[in-house]
């Protein structure tokens, strides 16, 4: 009887984590370049009882790599990626990767993210434009020209499938394996005048939330029934002497 109680409790712990993940995704529906959090659960098998008992793990988060919708803005400093690559900016402790291509230029010509971090080229160096040379043109391979002269190039990086991604702020990720510089621009490229939105599907996330809430309530009912059955058994058998 106690096994069913603990199994239901482990399910509630797992579903609580799933609910918090869904809530965070929903709150970032309108965050440019945001990548949704997903949760991976594993079965934990207990051999302590006469029969094997399966419990749910508490869950491990990972960052979804699905692409988000691309929106035309006509802003020359807005860039979106076609393909699976990432931009990189100079974070406090090294390179941070992002799909948020809403860029800006400060008075010194430094090309920055909206949060003020320096965008990096393929060699990992910051990019500086000429603030007096007019509107920049950005080609598919990231090359930036002003007044007919090349002044820099935005780097694109592929993150390996086995890389562990840790979220940084809203739209950035830190990879435990450095990104590989993109050299083939047939499958990856940059679109100037576009911005990528969040990859969160609001309808799907709300559907998940309803399903998880119902499962949570079902687990709570199982716990109450197990406790009631246990108390009835104690009353029937009486206290031990």
């Amino acid at each position: 009887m106690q096994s069913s109680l603990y199994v239901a409790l482990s399910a509630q712990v797992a579903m609580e984590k799933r609910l918090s993940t869904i809530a965070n995704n929903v709150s970032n529906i309108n965050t440019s370049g945001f990548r949704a959090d997903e949760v991976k659960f594993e079965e934990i098998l207990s051999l302590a009882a006469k029969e094997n008992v399966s419990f749910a793990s508490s869950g491990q988060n990972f960052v979804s790599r699905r692409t988000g919708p691309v929106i035309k803005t006509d802003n020359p400093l807005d860039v979106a990626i076609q393909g699976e690559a990432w931009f990189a900016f100079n974070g406090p402790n090294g390179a941070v990767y992002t799909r948020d291509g809403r860029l800006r230029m400060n008075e010194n010509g430094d090309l920055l993210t909206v949060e003020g971090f320096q965008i990096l080229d393929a060699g990992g160096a910051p990019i500086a434009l000429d603030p007096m040379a007019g509107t920049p043109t950005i080609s598919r391979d990231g090359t930036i020209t002003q007044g007919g002269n090349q002044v820099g190039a935005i780097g694109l990086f592929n993150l390996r499938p086995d890389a562990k991604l840790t979220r940084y702020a809203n739209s950035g990720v830190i990879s435990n394996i450095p990104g590989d510089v993109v050299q083939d621009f047939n499958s990856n490229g940059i679109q100037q005048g576009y911005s990528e939105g969040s990859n969160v599907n609001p309808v799907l996330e709300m559907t998940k939330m309803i399903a998880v809430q119902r499962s949570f309530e079902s687990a709570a009912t199982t716990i109450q029934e197990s406790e009631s059955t246990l108390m009835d058994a104690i009353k029937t058998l009486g206290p031990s002497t």
Side-chain angles (χ1 to χ4, degrees), residues 152-167:
I154 299 174
L156 288 182
F157 302 85
N158 281 323
L159 300 182
R160 301 180 189 178
D162 59 337
K164 181 179 179 181
L165 306 183
T166 304
R167 190 173 296 284

Side-chain angles (χ1 to χ4, degrees), residues 125-182:
I127 299 171
L129 308 182
D130 184 350
M132 305 301 294
T135 302
T137 299
I138 304 173
S139 64
R140 180 178 176 83
D141 65 359
T143 300
I144 306 172
T145 57
Q146 287 181 294
N149 299 315
Q150 180 176 341
V151 295
I154 299 174
L156 288 182
F157 302 85
N158 281 323
L159 300 182
R160 301 180 189 178
D162 59 337
K164 181 179 179 181
L165 306 183
T166 304
R167 190 173 296 284
Y168 179 87
N170 284 336
S171 301
V173 297
I174 298 173
S175 175
N176 67 329
I177 303 175
D180 298 319
V181 177
V182 171

Side-chain angles (χ1 to χ4, degrees), residues 23-133:
N24 182 61
N25 289 343
V26 171
S27 67
N28 284 283
I29 287 174
N30 296 318
T31 302
S32 295
F34 180 79
R35 287 292 171 270
D37 271 329
E38 302 288 352
V39 186
K40 178 176 65 177
F41 296 101
E42 295 179 348
E43 179 185 23
I44 300 175
L45 191 63
S46 172
L47 305 177
K50 293 181 179 179
E51 296 182 356
N52 294 344
V53 180
S54 295
F55 298 88
S57 69
S58 58
Q60 181 178 0
N61 281 46
F62 65 94
V63 179
S64 166
R65 300 199 186 192
R66 296 190 312 272
T67 58
V70 174
I71 305 162
K72 187 176 182 180
T73 66
D74 290 324
N75 183 337
L77 288 181
D78 281 348
V79 285
I81 297 175
Q82 290 181 320
E84 304 296 327
W86 300 70
F87 301 115
F89 63 83
N90 194 18
N93 298 306
V96 179
Y97 302 95
T98 184
R99 296 278 297 196
D100 185 358
R102 297 172 300 158
L103 309 182
R104 63 184 180 87
M105 180 174 57
N106 65 12
E107 63 276 6
N108 298 320
D110 298 320
L111 191 61
L112 309 173
T113 67
V114 289
E115 292 84 10
F117 295 104
Q118 295 174 314
I119 287 290
L120 304 179
D121 62 17
I127 299 171
L129 308 182
D130 184 350
M132 305 301 294

